[in-house]
Amino acid sequence: MKAIGLIVEYNPFHNGHLYHLQTSKKHAKADVVVCVMSGYFLQRGEPASYSRQTRTKLALDAGADLVVELPYAYSSQHASLFARGSVSILNDLLIDSFYFGSEYGDIDAFKELDQFMQQHEQTLESHVKKRMNEGASYPRAQSEAFLELTPPTTFPDLSQPNNILGYQYVKSARELNASIQPETIQRTGSGYHSEDLEEKSAIASATAIRRALSNDELEDIRPFVPNETYAALTEHPLVSWDDYYKYLQHELLTTDITVLASYYDVQEGLEYRLVNAAKKADSFQSFMNLVKTKRYTWVRIQRTLVHILTKTTKASMADALGANRQPSAVRLLGFSKVGQAYLSKVKKETTLQLYDRPPRQKNAQMRLDEKAAFAYWSYLPTSTRPDFYQREYEKPIVLSDRT
């Protein structure tokens, strides 16, 4: 059984994701599609708009055969750790190759870029440090430092988000000495950050779709998502940071400043800026506008806030990541009959601990996943929360009858 891997969030699943899945499978002539999917909190520091069970079902309906969860310790992280965790899992699941979407669409160019970055690693780090000392954010410092090296114009544009992740995927595969091979599919349709639903294309960004949903424009997204996604979106309300702001505000204003400073990603006195903003802001949007600076990007701040919401300390994150920064266990979220057959084969060979519900004895990685789940469902009424908490300990596997 030839297997390919996809690294996904499906927030929510749309036509662009369907194109990526189907094109990757066709290109590889694969028998099995395995998705490693972020759980409750995502790489850009946002709560998932829909539950992982909903997103798992949509993935299986679209043609995925096995969906596993990217642990919290890797899902709400900067690109390098997010990529390392994802590639490590796919490699340990004995996947032949993994396919990522990119604006560039040429895997050889990404490999050449990785070699170039290795050759200029020390110079690049020096330039990045200089830019950051001048007040630039890390992404901007890295972009400017890269351009200062005058790279060939044939390299992927690292100002594009999927190219950035693509480079990190290729780099991770090399650093892990992985047997899995990276491949890329060129993105089509609207740009990653586009907020508009463009009628000329059946493919819109997840950002534009979420924006339309937040404005109660459900009917407008119908051309841009599969029928199964549209049906699911009519049944489940959109979850966003707005649902958590009152809890975040309470946490910031009632927690000792030294404790706030102990949370993961809280650095350089950022805790004081967060507290001051919480005293003034009456909404998440206004809070973010007060906190954001040239040095601290919107995404960087959101990731920090996720760790505050989940009370994830620097020490607990270090324990969860471990010395080698590779996931030790992975939770199974769903599979088709083909995926189940592949899983039976993999279980005999992989070193990963595979589980469908949390064991009684949890390691540091699992404990963070559990806290993330409880934090995610905190926006629900108190009468409803226990039902969703209990789902964490029941078998959450989503089954597909597709053969």
Side-chain angles (χ1 to χ4, degrees):
M1 302 175 76
K2 184 173 184 179
I4 61 167
L6 307 179
I7 300 166
V8 304
E9 291 185 325
Y10 293 160
N11 193 44
F13 190 94
H14 56 67
N15 289 346
H17 296 137
L18 182 63
Y19 172 83
H20 174 228
L21 192 158
Q22 292 179 339
T23 304
S24 299
K25 184 175 183 179
K26 181 179 179 181
H27 183 273
K29 298 179 181 178
D31 304 298
V32 185
V33 178
V34 178
C35 294
V36 55
M37 186 181 76
S38 300
Y40 291 112
F41 293 95
L42 311 181
Q43 199 267 328
R44 290 177 54 81
E46 298 168 321
S49 297
Y50 299 93
S51 74
R52 61 185 180 192
Q53 284 183 305
T54 297
R55 289 178 291 129
T56 296
K57 183 179 185 306
L58 294 176
L60 294 173
D61 288 343
D65 295 296
L66 173 62
V67 183
V68 302
E69 182 175 2
L70 179 65
Y72 173 86
Y74 299 89
S75 68
S76 290
Q77 288 280 16
H78 51 80
S80 60
L81 265 179
F82 176 87
R84 184 178 177 89
S86 302
V87 173
S88 176
I89 287 172
L90 291 175
N91 189 60
D92 287 343
L93 289 175
L94 313 182
I95 308 299
D96 297 289
S97 57
F98 69 95
Y99 282 72
F100 61 90
S102 68
E103 289 83 2
Y104 200 75
D106 180 358
I107 193 61
D108 289 335
F110 279 97
K111 292 179 179 179
E112 291 168 6
L113 170 62
D114 182 42
Q115 292 177 355
F116 179 85
M117 297 293 245
Q118 289 182 74
Q119 294 167 2
H120 298 86
E121 185 175 6
Q122 291 185 344
T123 304
L124 186 67
E125 288 179 358
S126 175
H127 289 338
V128 168
K129 185 175 181 180
K130 179 183 176 183
R131 295 290 185 277
M132 292 189 70
N133 288 338
E134 294 170 351
S137 66
Y138 179 76
R140 181 177 177 182
Q142 192 173 47
S143 177
E144 291 178 352
F146 174 67
L147 292 175
E148 195 165 330
L149 298 176
T150 60
T153 56
T154 55
F155 283 173
D157 179 4
L158 288 184
S159 68
Q160 298 296 320
N162 284 288
N163 286 343
I164 295 172
L165 274 174
Y167 159 63
Q168 292 293 344
Y169 293 146
V170 172
K171 178 184 177 184
S172 294
R174 171 181 56 79
E175 290 180 339
L176 291 165
N177 194 28
S179 60
I180 191 171
Q181 295 299 307
E183 298 286 352
T184 188
I185 297 294
Q186 187 165 18
R187 281 176 54 86
T188 184
S190 299
Y192 182 86
H193 291 305
S194 174
E195 295 187 358
D196 299 319
L197 298 174
E198 300 176 9
E199 294 183 2
K200 63 182 180 181
S201 171
I203 296 179
S205 71
T207 301
I209 291 170
R210 290 194 301 272
R211 183 173 181 270
L213 289 169
S214 66
N215 293 330
D216 295 324
E217 298 168 352
L218 178 61
E219 191 60 31
D220 292 348
I221 71 163
R222 187 186 284 271
F224 304 98
V225 298
N227 291 334
E228 292 82 0
T229 297
Y230 183 81
L233 301 186
T234 62
E235 298 173 3
H236 304 284
L238 180 76
V239 180
S240 73
W241 259 118
D242 293 331
D243 295 302
Y244 299 92
Y245 179 61
K246 64 181 179 180
Y247 306 106
L248 177 68
Q249 185 182 45
H250 177 267
E251 179 69 18
L252 289 171
L253 297 182
T254 60
T255 303
D256 188 275
I257 201 74
T258 59
V259 176
L260 288 178
S262 73
Y263 289 144
Y264 185 70
D265 249 4
V266 178
Q267 301 170 346
E268 302 171 333
L270 179 59
E271 61 271 23
Y272 294 99
R273 188 174 186 85
L274 295 173
V275 169
N276 288 335
K279 291 176 180 177
K280 302 172 184 177
D282 61 359
S283 68
F284 184 73
Q285 180 78 28
S286 60
F287 172 83
M288 290 295 292
N289 288 333
L290 288 171
V291 176
K292 184 179 178 296
T293 66
K294 290 182 179 179
R295 185 172 184 82
Y296 293 106
T297 66
W298 192 284
V299 170
R300 163 71 169 79
I301 295 166
Q302 283 192 153
R303 283 201 291 261
T304 302
L305 298 178
V306 165
H307 302 311
I308 292 174
L309 186 69
T310 59
K311 296 180 181 290
T312 301
T313 64
K314 296 177 175 70
S316 61
M317 181 62 81
D319 288 343
L321 292 173
N324 63 2
R325 298 195 165 197
Q326 292 177 237
S328 57
V330 66
R331 187 167 187 169
L332 306 172
L333 298 181
F335 45 71
S336 67
K337 292 180 180 177
V338 171
Q340 188 173 21
Y342 181 76
L343 186 61
S344 297
K345 169 181 174 292
V346 168
K347 281 182 176 180
K348 301 174 184 177
E349 303 177 46
T350 184
T351 57
L352 272 179
Q353 179 183 350
L354 304 175
Y355 65 100
D356 58 4
R357 55 181 172 178
R360 289 184 178 275
Q361 296 299 320
K362 302 176 185 65
N363 61 24
Q365 177 189 296
M366 295 173 184
R367 289 195 294 272
L368 285 192
D369 289 340
E370 183 178 54
K371 287 173 60 178
F374 292 154
Y376 182 80
W377 296 117
S378 64
Y379 77 92
L380 292 172
T382 53
S383 60
T384 307
R385 288 180 205 168
D387 291 338
F388 286 85
Y389 293 162
Q390 191 58 35
R391 293 181 187 183
E392 290 303 305
Y393 305 100
E394 297 170 351
K395 292 188 177 182
I397 291 290
V398 178
L399 302 177
S400 170
D401 293 329
R402 180 175 49 79
T403 57

